[in-house]
Amino acid sequence: MIPRASLPRAVPRVLRPQCSKRPNNQRTLASAKSGGFNYETGEANGVKFASRDIPGPTTQLAVVARAGTRFQVYPGFAEGLEKFAFKSTHKRSSLRITREAELLGAELFAYHSRENLVVGAKFLREDLPYFTELLGEVVSKTKFLRHELNEEVIPIIKLGQKHILGNTAEMAVNSAHAVAFHRGLGTALHPTSSVPITKYLHEEDLKTFSQAAYAKPNFAVVANGTSHDELSKWVGEFFNDSPTAPPKDFPPIETKPSTYYGGEERIAHDGGNNMIIGFPGSGAYTGGHYDAAIAVLSSLLGGQSYIKWSPGFSLLARATAAQTQAHVSTRNISYSDAGLLTIAMGGNARHIKEASIAIVEILKAISGGDIAKDDITKAKANAKFRTLSAGENTGTGLELTGAGLVQSGKASQLHGIADAIDGVTEDAVKKPEQSDAPSKNSHAFKRREEERWISDLQNGQSVAQSKIGETPE
């Protein structure tokens, strides 16, 4: 090793300016308002599309269709249409699709939510033409073969039914939606074991449903990691065969506005303990039912910690710290025209009961305005971070943007959401029922009814429950 004293004294003085000077071409972190995080929208041959040119070697492309469980005409149709993604088309067999995707090093995916069906791929940037063509085939040229339905689609759906039967957390979420919205958004995300799917799933009916779901007014194409002009070129070329309107001889996709009802349901189960308390929440930003105060309230209630070795600042985390065997979390589940603010609990039955009582006191304190200003400041910062972080996720951004284009013609832009959260006042968080949100007076809470409800949760009892706060008359 060369002794430091032997180095010329001029060397540190020469290197110091070079190390401290930032190169002119060095990138800095993008803000919420920077163009790289916003989508450019357009339309090609009647197909709406949006792109976000994120620098990088890969691209993520997806078709987002209004074909989730809310819009399915018969039970299991959303699940069936999802499972038929990347099956045989009139140009390629399912085996060929698989092999070509493998040769290009790509990933194919398909999933559905309560409102949307998302079919897409992630691949190297230069392969955009091939995968745009492939998604165009999935949308308009899938064969819907009987043997693929009976041998590949239905068996997988039945395996999923068995999985849900043992998942008490998912059962509680489905139950919460059912008592909150009844039909539409209240439909279970996946068919339950009691649904006779073979009675409804037929290849011809699924094909007709796909023509309605993939009609040009009902889907959008969204991409992350490609230029707007490039996407416009290939969408215009490969989505020409998509139907311009749903079939007239098939039941129309129902678009009736969601209605919040509220109620209570208890489900006996020996697989675990889960409880959900829900209230009307905030809709999606692109749907016209967005309430930024609900996002801040969700962070304020919290329950889960985002900082290692710390219970977190949230009110529920502090109130339920003694119940170490109960996991508590708050989440706003947003949809195009409604939302569901949920407080979910899982774990030991006795600890869930004790946590429920503490949660009642916190909700009463919030409705009475008894919240420290410092807690609201932390909640706003956390809500803004979580929202922007989720928006930067390419997968989340695809569905939100595609759904916004289909439902309202608007893309989900991060800077608008960030500005809305910055504008939330302390009074709006303390009394959200007095805000301009559609769900006025929605956070009423009846302590006497809750005491009667949680008193039934005895020590060691295994149940999966959901509880929705009732909107007062």
Side-chain angles (χ1 to χ4, degrees):
M1 180 180 293
I2 302 175
R4 182 179 180 85
S6 64
L7 294 174
R9 291 186 178 181
V11 172
R13 290 196 296 270
V14 172
L15 293 178
R16 191 179 298 120
Q18 297 176 358
C19 296
S20 60
K21 184 181 295 184
R22 174 180 291 173
N24 293 331
N25 62 348
Q26 182 173 333
R27 290 183 178 272
T28 58
L29 293 178
S31 67
K33 296 187 179 182
S34 64
F37 289 118
N38 292 330
Y39 283 93
E40 292 183 76
T41 61
E43 188 170 320
N45 290 331
V47 178
K48 294 180 283 290
F49 68 91
S51 64
R52 187 166 62 171
D53 195 0
I54 301 174
T58 63
T59 297
Q60 193 164 1
L61 178 71
V63 170
V64 181
R66 184 164 55 179
T69 53
R70 174 182 179 177
F71 303 112
Q72 63 185 5
V73 292
Y74 297 114
F77 268 43
E79 187 93 1
L81 194 57
E82 173 204 323
K83 296 296 186 290
F84 258 109
F86 305 112
K87 297 298 182 185
S88 298
T89 69
H90 288 286
K91 184 176 180 180
R92 296 176 173 89
S93 67
S94 59
L95 178 62
R96 178 181 170 183
I97 292 173
T98 301
R99 292 293 179 261
E100 288 178 347
E102 290 174 344
L103 286 172
L104 295 175
E107 298 176 5
L108 305 179
F109 60 86
Y111 67 90
H112 73 276
S113 60
R114 281 185 163 79
E115 289 192 310
N116 307 303
L117 171 65
V118 182
V119 180
K122 189 172 183 179
F123 46 87
L124 294 175
R125 195 180 183 104
E126 58 267 23
D127 295 328
L128 176 65
Y130 170 82
F131 286 99
T132 308
E133 181 182 11
L134 177 60
L135 290 184
E137 288 182 27
V138 171
V139 165
S140 60
K141 294 184 174 63
T142 298
K143 286 185 175 181
F144 293 96
L145 300 174
R146 178 176 298 179
H147 77 271
E148 290 184 335
L149 174 66
N150 295 329
E151 297 174 12
E152 300 178 22
V153 173
I154 290 180
I156 294 177
I157 294 178
K158 289 184 175 180
L159 287 175
Q161 289 179 314
K162 293 181 180 180
H163 169 75
I164 296 170
L165 193 61
N167 190 332
T168 57
E170 185 167 352
M171 290 177 65
V173 172
N174 284 333
S175 174
H177 279 81
V179 296
F181 301 109
H182 293 184
R183 301 182 63 183
L185 291 176
T187 305
L189 186 58
H190 302 282
T192 60
S193 58
S194 61
V195 176
I197 56 173
T198 54
K199 177 181 177 181
Y200 300 101
L201 291 183
H202 300 283
E203 64 275 8
E204 290 300 326
D205 291 339
L206 276 174
K207 182 177 182 179
T208 308
F209 177 63
S210 75
Q211 293 171 354
Y214 293 136
K216 290 182 178 181
N218 288 333
F219 78 91
V221 180
V222 187
N224 283 315
T226 187
S227 69
H228 188 72
D229 293 338
E230 192 78 3
L231 182 63
S232 175
K233 173 184 175 181
W234 300 120
V235 168
E237 179 174 342
F238 294 125
F239 283 85
N240 272 331
D241 295 332
S242 302
T244 56
K248 295 181 179 180
D249 58 345
F250 198 71
I253 295 178
E254 186 174 332
T255 57
K256 182 180 178 180
S258 299
T259 301
Y260 178 87
Y261 297 96
E264 176 181 338
E265 183 177 23
R266 313 179 194 191
I267 304 172
H269 201 290
D270 63 356
N273 309 294
N274 290 89
M275 179 184 295
I276 291 181
I277 304 173
F279 305 92
S282 168
Y285 178 74
T286 55
H289 293 75
Y290 180 71
D291 183 10
I294 296 296
V296 178
L297 180 61
S298 176
S299 291
L300 180 65
L301 289 170
Q304 67 275 44
S305 175
Y306 299 98
I307 301 176
K308 194 173 181 63
W309 310 120
S310 168
F313 72 89
S314 66
L315 302 181
L316 297 188
R318 289 179 292 180
T320 61
Q323 287 74 47
T324 56
Q325 298 182 41
H327 174 75
V328 181
S329 62
T330 305
R331 177 189 176 195
N332 177 66
I333 309 174
S334 61
Y335 301 103
S336 59
D337 61 353
L340 189 63
L341 179 65
T342 63
I343 302 173
M345 292 161 278
N348 178 271
R350 179 174 60 85
H351 282 216
I352 291 178
K353 176 182 177 180
E354 295 171 355
S356 302
I357 298 173
I359 289 171
V360 172
E361 299 299 332
I362 292 297
L363 294 175
K364 290 176 64 179
I366 292 176
S367 62
D370 186 16
I371 315 172
K373 184 177 180 179
D374 185 53
D375 288 335
I376 295 180
T377 301
K378 294 177 183 178
K380 287 180 63 175
N382 181 257
K384 184 176 180 179
F385 168 77
R386 289 169 60 187
T387 301
L388 296 179
S389 179
E392 290 176 12
N393 182 294
T394 55
T396 304
L398 288 173
E399 182 177 357
L400 290 176
T401 299
L405 286 176
V406 173
Q407 294 153 3
S408 63
K410 297 191 303 181
S412 180
Q413 306 291 17
L414 292 182
H415 68 83
I417 302 175
D419 291 343
I421 293 176
D422 285 336
V424 173
T425 63
E426 187 175 339
D427 290 338
V429 177
K430 289 181 178 180
K431 297 182 179 180
E433 68 275 9
Q434 296 180 6
S435 69
D436 293 331
S439 305
K440 294 185 178 180
N441 298 321
S442 62
H443 293 82
F445 197 86
K446 300 179 181 179
R447 172 65 189 273
R448 179 171 56 84
E449 292 185 3
E450 183 64 15
E451 286 180 336
R452 172 184 60 79
W453 176 57
I454 61 179
S455 65
D456 293 337
L457 188 62
Q458 303 296 332
N459 295 343
Q461 183 180 359
S462 296
V463 296
Q465 299 191 0
S466 63
K467 173 69 167 67
I468 308 299
E470 299 177 0
T471 305
E473 297 295 335

